[in-house]
Amino acid sequence: QVQLVQSGAEVKKPGASVKVSCKASGGTLSSYVFSWVRQVPGQGLEWMGGATPISGTGNYAQKFQGRVTITADELTYTTYMQLSSLRSEDTAVYYCARGTPLKSGTSFFYAMDVWGQGTTVTVSS
Amino acid sequence: DIHLTQSPSFLSASVGDRVTITCRASQGISSYLAWYQQMPGKAPRLLIYAASTLQSGVPSRFSGSGSGTDFTLTISSLQPEDFATYYCQHLTSYPWTFGQGTKVEIK
């Protein structure tokens, strides 16, 4: 059973960058889309972007374009999310999640079936 | 971007009630829709994918339906452990956006 284990909580100052890691134990990264989802306190889930080890490039929500970089390293079974130019509004819990092609009937449909435990990032001066 | 609107945003129900949550997409997404449950302080959990396929290990009181732009999540008989927040998500083209969530609370 694959587990995603994320790095620990971070406290950053406005304008700084943060890099959060997510290591897959018990499996590989290939064939999956590794996404990052954030949740601001008291609010809903927000998909930030995702990356596949095969492509090596990320796809990002427009809101975060230019500030976020998501990578997936097949050799270390680890995915990373780096967010730059931090502001107080970026204070949130950040989750990694595995997007898996799941079979339904004769077709395959992506869904995020395995999640990390979450990493709290606090941005404060 | 495809926008998902859930309704209601909040509902109050009793144990044993039948509960239905709807999710409407701003454009057709075929059956590329998933439902998640989130307990307070926990990571989300996948319940349904492909609009109506139950994820392994999820109780059969959960069911999903719909295609195109209109989808529903139904809990046939609400249990104490089902009081949580539920989200729909489309997984067609990027970005894979979520609905705003529906919080199910005890009446």
Side-chain angles (χ1 to χ4, degrees):
Chain A
Q1 179 73 6
V2 172
Q3 285 188 308
L4 300 179
V5 180
Q6 298 182 221
S7 51
E10 301 265 11
V11 179
K12 295 291 183 181
K13 294 194 180 302
S17 296
V18 68
K19 189 171 186 177
V20 183
S21 67
C22 169
K23 187 176 178 68
S25 63
T28 67
L29 302 189
S30 59
S31 304
Y32 304 110
V33 176
F34 282 85
S35 287
W36 286 84
V37 174
R38 83 172 186 183
Q39 188 166 37
V40 172
Q43 296 189 21
L45 303 174
E46 191 171 25
W47 187 85
M48 300 176 68
T52 61
I54 295 174
S55 72
T57 58
N59 289 279
Y60 306 114
Q62 189 167 7
K63 176 177 180 177
F64 301 101
Q65 197 85 31
R67 278 210 304 147
V68 69
T69 303
I70 295 172
T71 56
D73 186 336
E74 179 68 27
L75 292 178
T76 60
Y77 308 136
T78 304
T79 179
Y80 299 90
M81 185 281 299
Q82 181 165 347
L83 187 63
S84 61
S85 303
L86 290 168
R87 34 211 189 226
S88 58
E89 310 89 270
D90 294 318
T91 294
V93 176
Y94 291 78
Y95 294 101
C96 63
R98 187 183 77 172
T100 302
L102 300 172
K103 191 171 185 182
S104 177
T106 58
S107 300
F108 287 86
F109 296 80
Y110 272 100
M112 303 203 293
D113 65 336
V114 182
W115 292 69
Q117 81 277 18
T119 296
T120 299
V121 175
T122 303
V123 182
S124 174
S125 55
Chain B
D1 294 359
I2 296 170
H3 186 68
L4 298 179
T5 303
Q6 287 183 234
S7 60
S9 296
F10 172 89
L11 74 86
S12 182
S14 301
V15 172
D17 283 354
R18 181 181 181 89
V19 167
T20 298
I21 299 168
T22 66
C23 178
R24 175 163 288 177
S26 59
Q27 64 189 76
I29 57 171
S30 184
S31 296
Y32 294 94
L33 188 98
W35 290 95
Y36 303 87
Q37 176 193 61
Q38 187 180 32
M39 308 297 286
K42 300 294 185 182
R45 169 197 180 196
L46 176 65
L47 298 176
I48 302 276
Y49 65 93
S52 61
T53 302
L54 199 66
Q55 171 68 339
S56 176
V58 174
S60 59
R61 63 182 179 272
F62 291 93
S63 64
S65 66
S67 181
T69 59
D70 293 304
F71 302 86
T72 60
L73 172 71
T74 299
I75 309 171
S76 60
S77 178
L78 202 62
Q79 298 302 300
E81 60 269 30
D82 300 337
F83 292 94
T85 301
Y86 295 85
Y87 295 92
C88 58
Q89 182 196 26
H90 84 83
L91 297 104
T92 54
S93 56
Y94 293 119
W96 288 350
T97 52
F98 290 91
Q100 82 278 14
T102 296
K103 187 173 184 179
V104 177
E105 289 202 342
I106 301 172
K107 182 182 282 185

